[in-house]
């Protein structure tokens, strides 16, 4: 089995991430990722919300700029 470099692995991971994002969008499914240490949910129409949890552990989504 051939070993791959870190840069090759990063390139593969970037392509896989892009492919998964495109597939989710085409299927009308939101994606969730971390941005600026915040959990972001992005809908197929481009709308973004931040996922937060209140003091009782209840999940809420607030508008994200």
């Amino acid at each position: 089995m051939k070993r791959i470099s870190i840069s090759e692995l990063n390139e593969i991971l970037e392509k896989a991430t892009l492919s998964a994002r495109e597939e989710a969008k085409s299927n009308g499914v939101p994606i969730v990722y971390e941005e600026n240490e915040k959990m972001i949910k992005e809908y197929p129409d481009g709308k973004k919300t931040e996922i937060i949890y209140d003091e009782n552990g209840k999940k809420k989504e607030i508008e994200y700029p």
Side-chain angles (χ1 to χ4, degrees):
M1 179 181 252
K2 178 190 168 204
R3 290 185 166 256
I4 61 173
S5 69
I6 295 295
S7 62
E8 289 173 315
L9 178 58
N10 284 335
E11 185 178 329
I12 291 167
L13 292 173
E14 286 177 25
K15 287 179 181 178
T17 299
L18 181 59
S19 176
R21 284 176 169 246
E22 290 172 353
E23 185 175 345
K25 187 175 183 178
S26 71
N27 288 312
V29 178
I31 58 171
V32 177
Y33 55 91
E34 186 177 322
E35 181 176 281
N36 300 321
E37 298 183 15
K38 297 177 183 203
M39 187 69 67
I40 306 301
K41 186 174 193 177
E42 185 175 334
Y43 291 87
D45 65 1
K47 174 186 168 190
K48 292 182 182 182
T49 59
E50 179 183 353
I51 299 172
I52 60 171
Y53 292 87
D54 67 16
E55 60 278 352
N56 298 315
K58 185 176 178 184
K59 183 172 98 171
K60 298 186 340 184
E61 290 184 39
I62 60 173
E63 189 174 330
Y64 186 74

